Amino acid sequence: MSESTKYNAAEVEPRWQQVWAEADIYRAEDSSDKPKFYALEMFPYPSGRIHMGHVRNYAMGDVVARYKKAQGFEVLHPMGWDSFGMPAENAAIATDGHPKDWTYNNIDEMRAPMQRLGFALDWSREFATSDVAYYKTQQQIFLKFWENDLVYRKTAKVNWDPVDNTVLANEQVIDGKGWRSGATVEQRDMDQWFFKITNYAEELLEGLDGLDRWPEKVRTMQANWIGKSEGLQMRFEWAVPNGEKRPLVENYPLSGDVYTNLELDWHDDFTTALNNHPDGIEVFTTRPDTLFGASFVAISPDHPIAKNMFETTARVEDFILECQKIGTSEEAIAQAPKLGFDTGLLVQHPFDESITLPVWIANFVLMGYGTGAVFGCPAHDQRDLDFARKYGLPVTPVVLPEGEDAATYDVGTEAYTGEGKLFNSSFLNGLNKSKGIKTAIHKISEMGLGEGVTQYRLRDWGVSRQRYWGCPIPVIKCESCGSQPVPEDQLPVELPYDINFDKPGNPLDRHPTWKTEGVTCPKCGEAAERETDTLDTFADSSWYFAAFGGSLDQDGNLDWEAASKWLPVDQYVGGVEHAVLHLLYARFFTRGLRDCGLLDLPSGEPFAGLFTQGMVTHAVYTDEDGDYVLPEDVIEDGNQLLRIGTKSIVTKGDVIKMSKSKKNVVDPDEIIKGYGADVARWFVLSDSPPERDVEWTESGVIGAWRFSKKVWNVVSATTATDGPLSVATDAKGDALELRKLAHRAMENITAGIEAFRFNTSVAQIYELTNALNKYKGQDAARLEALGILIRAIAPFMPHLAEECWAKLGGEGLVYHAPWPEVDSKMLVDDTITLPLQVNGKRRGELNIAKDLPKDEIEKLAMADEGVQRAIGDGTVRKVIIVPGRIVNIVAS
RNA sequence: GCGGGCGUGGUGGAAUUGGUAGACACGCAAGACUUAAAAUCUUGUUCUGGCAACGGAGUGCGGGUUCGAUUCCCGCCGCCCGCACCA
C-alpha cells in the first residue's frame, strides 16, 4: 500500500473539523419541525486541563447525539463552563493573580483540546456561569424566588474557619479542621440565605417514581436523602412539682470525669422552662405504639430549653460545651459515646397520670430533625437502650415478639424493633404495630396533645458563601428596613475586579467602595450596605441546561419559551458523585422556575433520562524512592519497569481513578496527537460497560488504533463504486450471508446504543469489520455492508467515518446520513442449528430447515450419533422440543 | 446500623422473556511474510484426562425449583458504593 493511502488521523481529523465548523452543522434550530432531542453532559469546571474522564463523559453523550441526529431528530447538544468556585480563588492567592483571569485563561485552554476531540457540539450557545450575563439572570431568578416565597433568611449553624475567616462547606472540614488552614473549625451561628427546597419535599420524592430512565441507585439515594417518615408529633406537659426535689442521678461519667454532688437549682430551672415553654416539650416519634415503654424524654443540647439552662446553670454549660468538643464530622458524631445530663425537670405521661418522666439533655438528639426532642423507649430503640443502660434508666418492654412469654420476656443489650403484640400497654394491649400506631395517634389527637405528621430529613438549602468568586446575592441591607431586594433595573450586581487577597476572608466585605458607595435602601432611600455573600456555586449548575435551551446571550437575554420547548433534557450523562446534590438541586430549581412562571414544564423534571458513567482508571506507578511516576515516564526493560532518566525500578500499584496527585494520568491531548481523537473516543467506550470504570491501558489504545486502520484498509480495498447507500437485494450465497451478518450486527448495534451498552455495540462493529475483511467480492453486498459499517461507526469515530464515507462516494456528510434501516427479512435464517441435549447436557447439534415439524426433528435428534452414545442403554422418558431453540432428551 | 450494587477464563467483559456459558477485545503461544525487527496476516487459547476420537468438571460457596439455572427461590461468604445517633 502506498504512503498516500495510509490513514493519517493527524491530517484527516482537523480537516473534517474545519468542514463541520464551516458548514455549521451542529447548530440546533429552535423552530425545527423535527422532533427535538436534548443531549447533555454535565458541564466541566475549567480547571485548565481536560482529562480522560471528560473524554469518556462527552464521548458517550456524543454517541447519543449523533445517533439521534441520524434518526431524524433535531438535536441540541451544547457545552459551557461551570466557572465560579473556590479553586479560582485559591489559584489567585497562590499565584498572586486574579480569579477571573485564571478562569477565562483556563476556558480558552480547554476549549481547543475539546474541539480537537470532534464532538457534535453547538458552540454558538456556549457560556460560562461567571459571565455577567449568566449571573445577572441568576440574580433575577433569586429575586423571583424571593417574590414567590422560596427564599428566606435565618440564623443557622455553620462551619467557621477562624484562620481563613470564612464559612466552610461540610466537605471542606476534615477531622474537625479546615482543609486549608488546618485550624479547628468552630460551629458558629450566622445569618444565612436559604432556598426553601423543603417546600417541594413531597413533590421531589413523588417525582422520582416517574423517572424510569434514571438509575435505580440514584433514585434510591435521593429518596433516602429526602427521608420521609410518618409519625406523631405530640407534647409532653410539665409534671408540676409538689415542692419536693426529685433525686437526680448523681454519679455519671462525662468524658472520663465523674461529676458528683450536683448542685442544680431545680426550682429555678423549672421556673425558667415553664415560663419560656409553658406547653411542655414537643417530640416527634414514628413509634407512638410504644408510648407505654417510655422511660425518659431527651432534648438536644441545641434545644431552646437546654439553651435557657445553659444561661442559668453552670453544670449545663459544662455539659453542652463537652458535647460540642466531639467534633463536627457526621461520622464522629455518629460514633461518639452517648452523653446525657439529667436536668431534674419532669414531664407527665400522656396516658397515665401516675407516671412522670425525667427530662435529659442528650447528645444523640439532633436539633435539626423533628422537634429536637424525643421520648426514649429503651426496649424498642437501640440508642435509647444504650442510653438507658448507661444511666440506669428503666427498660420496659411493650412489644412482645412472637413465641415469647410476656412474663419472662426481657431485652438484653439489643433493642427489639420488629413486629409483635403490644403488652404492658393498657388500652393498646394486644394490638399489632400498625394498629397500635394508629390507635395511639388517634388517642393523642383526641386529647389535644398532638397529631399525625410527616417529617422529612431534607433541610432547606443554605446558599450564602463568604467568597468572592461567585454570584453576588442581589440584596441591600438597610438598618431600618432590613434586607431589601436590589431593584430589577439595578441588576446586575457586578463583581468588582479590583480586589485583593492579602488578608483572609471575603474581599468583597473589605472592598473600599463596593459595599457602601452609592448604595441606598430601595425602600427608604437611606444609606445602606450591599450583601457581600455570594451564592453557593451549586445554584449555578441548577439551571444552566435551561440557559442553553433559551440561547442566553451576552446581554442576558434568555428565551424562556425556547428553553421550555427544549426541556426536559432527554439524555443527561455525568458522574454518579452528583447523585444527590446537583441532581436534587436542579430538580428543585426547575420546579421553582415553573412556579415563578418562567418555565413551562408541568412535570418540573429537568432530566428525563439520566446515565451515570464510570470513571477512567489507571495503574499507579511508584519508583524506588516511593515517588509517583507518570505512566509516560515508565519504560519496560525486560521483565521490569524503569523510570525514564533515573532508571529507578518502578513498581506497578493499584488501578484507581486518574488523579493528578497520584500521577496516574494520561493527557488526552497527547493521545490525540499520537493516535487521533477517534482512537481516544473509541477506546473509552469499547471494553467496559459505560456505567463501570474503564482501565486505561497502552495496549488497549493500540488495539483501538489498529482497529481504526483496519476499517480504513477495508474501505480502501473496495473498488465497487455505487456508493455506501447501496442495497444488494438479489444477493446469493456468500453475498447473502454477508448481508445477513451486516443486518444482524446493525440490529444489535442499535439496541446497544439504545440501552447505553456501547461495549456490546462495539463488539458487533468488530464482528462486522472482521467479516468484511474476509469477504473477497467487489459487489453490491460489500458496498451495502460497508455503508452500514461506516454509518454505525460514525457516532463513535466521526472523523474516520466521514473520511470513509467520502472515499466510498457517499453523498454529503455521513453526519447527515440516515441511520441504517434493518431489513427484518435478513434476520431470519431458512436453516437453523438446533443444539441437542441429553439430560441437560449438550451432545450434538442439528442443521435443519427452520420450519421442520416436531416429529421430524425428534426422529433426526434420536438418530444423532452423539445423542445415541449419551443415551446408551438408558430408556428415553421424554423429549422436549422448544421450536427454534433446543431439543432436550430425558433418559435414564 | 440502614439502603443500593456486584462476584463468569490469565485480563476487560458477552450471554436481560430459564434454552449451545465464555461473543468481542486484550494478553499469550505457534506459524506465514521479512536478512532482521516492526507492522500485517493465519491458527490455537476455560480447567482437566487423552496422540486423537471422546470424556469429566465449571459462572463466589451450600441447598432448592425445573426436562434444562450465569438467569428464579432460600441460606451463607467476599468486594464496592451511598447514607449514617433522622427518633
PDB file of all heavy atoms in Angstrom, chain A residues 28-40:
ATOM      1  N   ALA A  28     -28.344  23.912  16.607  1.00  0.00           N
ATOM      2  CA  ALA A  28     -29.704  23.411  16.836  1.00  0.00           C
ATOM      3  C   ALA A  28     -30.713  24.514  16.533  1.00  0.00           C
ATOM      4  O   ALA A  28     -30.537  25.651  16.978  1.00  0.00           O
ATOM      5  CB  ALA A  28     -29.850  22.953  18.282  1.00  0.00           C
ATOM      6  N   GLU A  29     -31.737  24.170  15.768  1.00  0.00           N
ATOM      7  CA  GLU A  29     -32.748  25.160  15.399  1.00  0.00           C
ATOM      8  C   GLU A  29     -33.948  25.090  16.344  1.00  0.00           C
ATOM      9  O   GLU A  29     -34.611  24.052  16.432  1.00  0.00           O
ATOM     10  CB  GLU A  29     -33.223  24.912  13.958  1.00  0.00           C
ATOM     11  CG  GLU A  29     -32.159  25.089  12.895  1.00  0.00           C
ATOM     12  CD  GLU A  29     -31.616  26.514  12.809  1.00  0.00           C
ATOM     13  OE1 GLU A  29     -32.283  27.449  13.326  1.00  0.00           O
ATOM     14  OE2 GLU A  29     -30.514  26.691  12.257  1.00  0.00           O
ATOM     15  N   ASP A  30     -34.240  26.207  16.994  1.00  0.00           N
ATOM     16  CA  ASP A  30     -35.396  26.242  17.902  1.00  0.00           C
ATOM     17  C   ASP A  30     -36.706  25.952  17.171  1.00  0.00           C
ATOM     18  O   ASP A  30     -37.621  25.363  17.724  1.00  0.00           O
ATOM     19  CB  ASP A  30     -35.517  27.622  18.559  1.00  0.00           C
ATOM     20  CG  ASP A  30     -34.398  27.870  19.558  1.00  0.00           C
ATOM     21  OD1 ASP A  30     -33.737  26.890  19.969  1.00  0.00           O
ATOM     22  OD2 ASP A  30     -34.174  29.043  19.909  1.00  0.00           O
ATOM     23  N   SER A  31     -36.756  26.404  15.897  1.00  0.00           N
ATOM     24  CA  SER A  31     -38.046  26.364  15.200  1.00  0.00           C
ATOM     25  C   SER A  31     -38.182  25.153  14.282  1.00  0.00           C
ATOM     26  O   SER A  31     -39.058  25.118  13.433  1.00  0.00           O
ATOM     27  CB  SER A  31     -38.216  27.635  14.383  1.00  0.00           C
ATOM     28  OG  SER A  31     -37.083  27.793  13.537  1.00  0.00           O
ATOM     29  N   SER A  32     -37.313  24.171  14.449  1.00  0.00           N
ATOM     30  CA  SER A  32     -37.364  22.991  13.576  1.00  0.00           C
ATOM     31  C   SER A  32     -38.693  22.241  13.712  1.00  0.00           C
ATOM     32  O   SER A  32     -39.299  22.214  14.779  1.00  0.00           O
ATOM     33  CB  SER A  32     -36.212  22.049  13.946  1.00  0.00           C
ATOM     34  OG  SER A  32     -36.360  20.841  13.274  1.00  0.00           O
ATOM     35  N   ASP A  33     -39.111  21.615  12.600  1.00  0.00           N
ATOM     36  CA  ASP A  33     -40.333  20.802  12.622  1.00  0.00           C
ATOM     37  C   ASP A  33     -40.068  19.401  13.150  1.00  0.00           C
ATOM     38  O   ASP A  33     -40.994  18.667  13.493  1.00  0.00           O
ATOM     39  CB  ASP A  33     -40.902  20.651  11.199  1.00  0.00           C
ATOM     40  CG  ASP A  33     -41.349  21.981  10.646  1.00  0.00           C
ATOM     41  OD1 ASP A  33     -41.695  22.861  11.466  1.00  0.00           O
ATOM     42  OD2 ASP A  33     -41.336  22.145   9.408  1.00  0.00           O
ATOM     43  N   LYS A  34     -38.797  19.028  13.157  1.00  0.00           N
ATOM     44  CA  LYS A  34     -38.466  17.669  13.580  1.00  0.00           C
ATOM     45  C   LYS A  34     -38.705  17.517  15.078  1.00  0.00           C
ATOM     46  O   LYS A  34     -38.684  18.493  15.826  1.00  0.00           O
ATOM     47  CB  LYS A  34     -36.981  17.390  13.313  1.00  0.00           C
ATOM     48  CG  LYS A  34     -36.567  17.443  11.861  1.00  0.00           C
ATOM     49  CD  LYS A  34     -35.090  17.129  11.803  1.00  0.00           C
ATOM     50  CE  LYS A  34     -34.459  17.432  10.478  1.00  0.00           C
ATOM     51  NZ  LYS A  34     -32.991  17.323  10.558  1.00  0.00           N
ATOM     52  N   PRO A  35     -38.886  16.275  15.526  1.00  0.00           N
ATOM     53  CA  PRO A  35     -38.969  16.076  16.975  1.00  0.00           C
ATOM     54  C   PRO A  35     -37.639  16.460  17.626  1.00  0.00           C
ATOM     55  O   PRO A  35     -36.589  16.264  17.030  1.00  0.00           O
ATOM     56  CB  PRO A  35     -39.243  14.576  17.121  1.00  0.00           C
ATOM     57  CG  PRO A  35     -38.804  13.967  15.837  1.00  0.00           C
ATOM     58  CD  PRO A  35     -38.998  15.005  14.781  1.00  0.00           C
ATOM     59  N   LYS A  36     -37.704  17.030  18.829  1.00  0.00           N
ATOM     60  CA  LYS A  36     -36.469  17.513  19.463  1.00  0.00           C
ATOM     61  C   LYS A  36     -35.798  16.423  20.275  1.00  0.00           C
ATOM     62  O   LYS A  36     -36.461  15.521  20.801  1.00  0.00           O
ATOM     63  CB  LYS A  36     -36.779  18.724  20.340  1.00  0.00           C
ATOM     64  CG  LYS A  36     -37.593  18.434  21.606  1.00  0.00           C
ATOM     65  CD  LYS A  36     -36.759  18.252  22.850  1.00  0.00           C
ATOM     66  CE  LYS A  36     -37.589  17.894  24.073  1.00  0.00           C
ATOM     67  NZ  LYS A  36     -36.834  17.610  25.265  1.00  0.00           N
ATOM     68  N   PHE A  37     -34.495  16.532  20.382  1.00  0.00           N
ATOM     69  CA  PHE A  37     -33.761  15.665  21.302  1.00  0.00           C
ATOM     70  C   PHE A  37     -32.657  16.499  21.944  1.00  0.00           C
ATOM     71  O   PHE A  37     -31.824  17.084  21.263  1.00  0.00           O
ATOM     72  CB  PHE A  37     -33.150  14.454  20.594  1.00  0.00           C
ATOM     73  CG  PHE A  37     -32.635  13.421  21.560  1.00  0.00           C
ATOM     74  CD1 PHE A  37     -33.452  12.392  21.990  1.00  0.00           C
ATOM     75  CD2 PHE A  37     -31.352  13.502  22.065  1.00  0.00           C
ATOM     76  CE1 PHE A  37     -33.006  11.447  22.904  1.00  0.00           C
ATOM     77  CE2 PHE A  37     -30.889  12.563  22.991  1.00  0.00           C
ATOM     78  CZ  PHE A  37     -31.720  11.533  23.405  1.00  0.00           C
ATOM     79  N   TYR A  38     -32.683  16.538  23.272  1.00  0.00           N
ATOM     80  CA  TYR A  38     -31.720  17.347  24.018  1.00  0.00           C
ATOM     81  C   TYR A  38     -30.745  16.390  24.701  1.00  0.00           C
ATOM     82  O   TYR A  38     -31.123  15.649  25.613  1.00  0.00           O
ATOM     83  CB  TYR A  38     -32.466  18.207  25.040  1.00  0.00           C
ATOM     84  CG  TYR A  38     -31.655  19.274  25.754  1.00  0.00           C
ATOM     85  CD1 TYR A  38     -32.295  20.214  26.573  1.00  0.00           C
ATOM     86  CD2 TYR A  38     -30.262  19.375  25.631  1.00  0.00           C
ATOM     87  CE1 TYR A  38     -31.587  21.205  27.244  1.00  0.00           C
ATOM     88  CE2 TYR A  38     -29.543  20.358  26.296  1.00  0.00           C
ATOM     89  CZ  TYR A  38     -30.213  21.264  27.106  1.00  0.00           C
ATOM     90  OH  TYR A  38     -29.501  22.240  27.779  1.00  0.00           O
ATOM     91  N   ALA A  39     -29.506  16.388  24.208  1.00  0.00           N
ATOM     92  CA  ALA A  39     -28.457  15.554  24.801  1.00  0.00           C
ATOM     93  C   ALA A  39     -27.501  16.465  25.558  1.00  0.00           C
ATOM     94  O   ALA A  39     -27.072  17.489  25.041  1.00  0.00           O
ATOM     95  CB  ALA A  39     -27.698  14.796  23.717  1.00  0.00           C
ATOM     96  N   LEU A  40     -27.186  16.093  26.783  1.00  0.00           N
ATOM     97  CA  LEU A  40     -26.350  16.967  27.598  1.00  0.00           C
ATOM     98  C   LEU A  40     -25.442  16.161  28.511  1.00  0.00           C
ATOM     99  O   LEU A  40     -25.859  15.150  29.072  1.00  0.00           O
ATOM    100  CB  LEU A  40     -27.245  17.885  28.450  1.00  0.00           C
ATOM    101  CG  LEU A  40     -26.546  18.932  29.308  1.00  0.00           C
ATOM    102  CD1 LEU A  40     -25.905  20.012  28.448  1.00  0.00           C
ATOM    103  CD2 LEU A  40     -27.535  19.570  30.290  1.00  0.00           C
TER     104      LEU A  40
END
